[in-house]
Amino acid sequence: MRRVPAVMVLAVLLVGCADVEGLQSEGDLGTVHAPRSLWKDIRPAPPAADQKPGTAAVVPGLPKVTDLSMRGVDALSVVRADVTSAAEQDGGTGRLVDPRALQRLALCTQAVDGGPDCLVRPAVLHDLTGNGREELITALDIDGRVSELRVYTVQDDGNIARILSRRGVLEGVEVAAEHLAIREPTTNPAYVAVSDYVWDPKAGIMNLSQLTLDDCPALTQNPVNEAGSRCAR
């Protein structure tokens, strides 16, 4: 798999070609133009206190985990408490969680797996922080395409905290050591965007460390699967 940077530097140069007779000019291939800034006088408002990155969010209403292990934690209860709190904070605006998330959670029963209509994905435990304790990774599927990805950790005081929240179209989610990579489609079917998150011990969250593009196989060679994925590794 060939990986290329997400941000490419474009330049048009005067070049020459070498052959048995030496260098020959190809001529002027064009003029390099400086980028044109659009809407220079318009700036976004600063983020609200509950939107600022760089801090972990303790999930309210959950009991402390005395043994500091996620293995005995009910993942569905964590997601329900987190989504309910986020929906109350953003007032249904969708800033913190999709407004439809509570409706999707209402489909989950008290069964261990939430029942056949529950759209919370099976929890995955993986040590992303490097401290020997596993984090809980799960997602709430909203409409068959958009999902709310969540990663939780147990802090030293026993509180469960959300360390990553990401809404998107999850072509794939991969973990390796202390890395979590999220693969998402782009407007160009030839590429898939890959966001690589790593544990930031100072901030106490999973921070974006790299954003790249991966090649996708030709669609004719890799037709859309039942889950709607356009690109497979």
Side-chain angles (χ1 to χ4, degrees):
M1 182 69 67
R2 179 173 61 87
R3 182 168 287 185
V4 296
V7 180
M8 299 180 179
V9 179
L10 303 181
V12 181
L13 306 175
L14 295 177
V15 299
C17 295
D19 58 20
V20 293
E21 297 181 356
L23 294 176
Q24 296 180 347
S25 174
E26 289 282 337
D28 189 346
L29 298 184
T31 303
V32 177
H33 296 281
R36 177 187 174 191
S37 297
L38 306 182
W39 310 298
K40 292 187 293 184
D41 298 330
I42 301 178
R43 294 287 185 272
D50 57 4
Q51 290 181 292
K52 291 182 179 179
T55 57
V58 173
V59 181
L62 295 174
K64 289 190 176 184
V65 182
T66 56
D67 63 359
L68 305 184
S69 173
M70 275 290 187
R71 287 198 170 270
V73 173
D74 180 13
L76 181 55
S77 296
V78 175
V79 174
R80 182 177 281 114
D82 185 26
V83 169
T84 301
S85 174
E88 290 175 352
Q89 289 183 55
D90 70 19
T93 61
R95 291 184 294 108
L96 302 178
V97 67
D98 191 292
R100 298 167 292 177
L102 286 176
Q103 299 174 355
R104 301 300 181 265
L105 279 174
L107 300 175
C108 299
T109 67
Q110 298 301 317
V112 175
D113 60 356
D117 298 322
C118 187
L119 300 178
V120 176
R121 298 190 184 187
V124 176
L125 298 177
H126 183 84
D127 182 8
L128 291 169
T129 61
N131 63 359
R133 302 200 298 256
E134 295 167 312
E135 275 62 55
L136 188 154
I137 307 167
T138 188
L140 171 62
D141 296 324
I142 300 299
D143 59 9
R145 184 164 177 79
V146 176
S147 301
E148 292 273 354
L149 178 70
R150 294 288 191 272
V151 180
Y152 304 94
T153 193
V154 178
Q155 298 179 327
D156 291 339
D157 61 2
N159 283 317
I160 295 177
R162 184 184 66 244
I163 57 175
L164 178 62
S165 172
R166 176 70 181 269
R167 183 185 312 167
V169 179
L170 307 180
E171 287 274 8
V173 181
E174 304 164 355
V175 291
E178 297 167 25
H179 291 254
L180 184 144
I182 302 172
R183 302 170 65 83
E184 298 176 277
T186 69
T187 55
N188 186 339
Y191 296 105
V192 59
V194 182
S195 303
D196 186 22
Y197 288 86
V198 297
W199 173 246
D200 184 338
K202 293 183 178 180
I205 60 170
M206 299 293 293
N207 259 335
L208 180 66
S209 67
Q210 190 175 17
L211 179 62
T212 57
L213 295 178
D214 257 3
D215 291 333
C216 284
L219 295 183
T220 55
Q221 300 174 359
N222 183 50
V224 175
N225 61 27
E226 293 180 359
S229 175
R230 302 178 306 162
C231 179
R233 298 193 67 181

